[in-house]
Amino acid sequence: MDPVVIPILVAAIVVVFLVASTVRIVPQARRYNIERFGRYRRTLQPGLNFVVPVADRVNTKLDVREQVYSSDPKPVITEDNLVVNIDTVLYYQITDPRAAAYEVADFLQAIDQLTVTTLRNVIGSMDLEGTLTSREEINARLRTVLDDATGKWGIRVNRVEIKAIDPPHTIKEAMEKQMRAERDKRAAILHAEGERQAKILTAEGTKQKDILEAQGTQQAMILRADGEAKAVELVFQAVHRNNADPKILAYKYLETLPHLAKSDNNTFWVIPGELTEAVRAVTSAFGDQSTMGLRASAQPEGTTTADADDASDEGGAAELEAGSSLSFDAAAAADEVAKQAAAVVSDAKAEAEAARAPQVPGRGQTSGD
């Protein structure tokens, strides 16, 4: 090989190496910190960049996108001396690559320790119940403290969230019992409210039912009274129009008396004093008819007015005595009166029928007479 060619090849290789060392391509959302002879020179932006070969070198490559960091559970003591394990989730973003590389050695570890310290200060001033119910307040206080501390590190904390708060096992059991008791209490209250509403609705329904039934009964009684009044008016008009004599009225009076004693609610029944007068009126009525028939027909021999009076007296002997004792009960009295009245009416009818029958001539009379 020609001795001149070798130096040329070596020079070409060196030139290619120097050109390759001069060009730096930075991806999007990345930042490269450049040092020249060990001192920070500048930060390369995304795209094609040129550096001085041999003198400049890339110290750190940083991702400026928002990132998530989840810490391990840390024990924290509350104000009421209970140990709870709390783990957090941190959302951060690098805003100054130079400060993130040169102001703090390990920014993730620094943020984690700062988070734990702030949590212990915040949780230490709260009891367990306040810790469990004040997550928003804890998150806001954590974010404020971390923003103040990480600002000079070139890092911005966008959000801090408490992922879990784990109290001791005994506390969990007590909380479960308390929750169960609270739920039972709410269930009992709801059940009582339901029964109360049901009773109120039932009472309202019963009230409406009683009101409607009373109104219906009232209307029925009014209509029944109107009907009875109209019936009495029609009967009264019919009686006066037909000019009913006392005989019919007395007979209807006797027919009505037995019905007065048939009611189950009657334990004492008073017989009116005019009962015997009514019986006498019926008897005398039928007696008058028989007398009129006898006077119209021929009188048999040996039959006189005195005999008719005797027959009337015999019929009247079956009447009730005015001074008879009425000490028996109402039902027996009604039956007895009905029987006596029926007997009187039957005898009177028999006498009337006999009076209407054709008369047989007596022994002392002749056919010529």
Side-chain angles (χ1 to χ4, degrees), residues 149-200:
T150 59
K152 62 181 180 179
W153 299 340
I155 298 174
R156 182 180 64 202
V157 177
N158 296 326
R159 193 170 182 180
V160 180
E161 293 289 341
I162 295 178
K163 186 167 63 175
I165 299 177
D166 295 328
H169 183 68
T170 55
I171 301 300
K172 286 184 179 180
E173 292 180 354
M175 292 172 61
E176 290 177 357
K177 292 180 180 179
Q178 181 181 1
M179 186 181 300
R180 190 180 300 110
E182 190 69 24
R183 290 179 178 175
D184 292 341
K185 174 184 174 182
R186 289 199 297 265
I189 292 174
L190 292 176
H191 183 68
E193 286 291 335
E195 289 185 351
R196 176 174 171 270
Q197 288 296 117
K199 290 181 179 179
I200 290 175

Side-chain angles (χ1 to χ4, degrees), residues 21 62 69 80 97 104 110 131 160 177 180 251 264 331 333 347 353:
S21 299
L62 299 176
Y69 174 73
D80 47 358
V104 61
T131 302
V160 180
K177 292 180 180 179
R180 190 180 300 110
Y251 182 70
D264 296 334
D347 293 341
E353 293 293 335

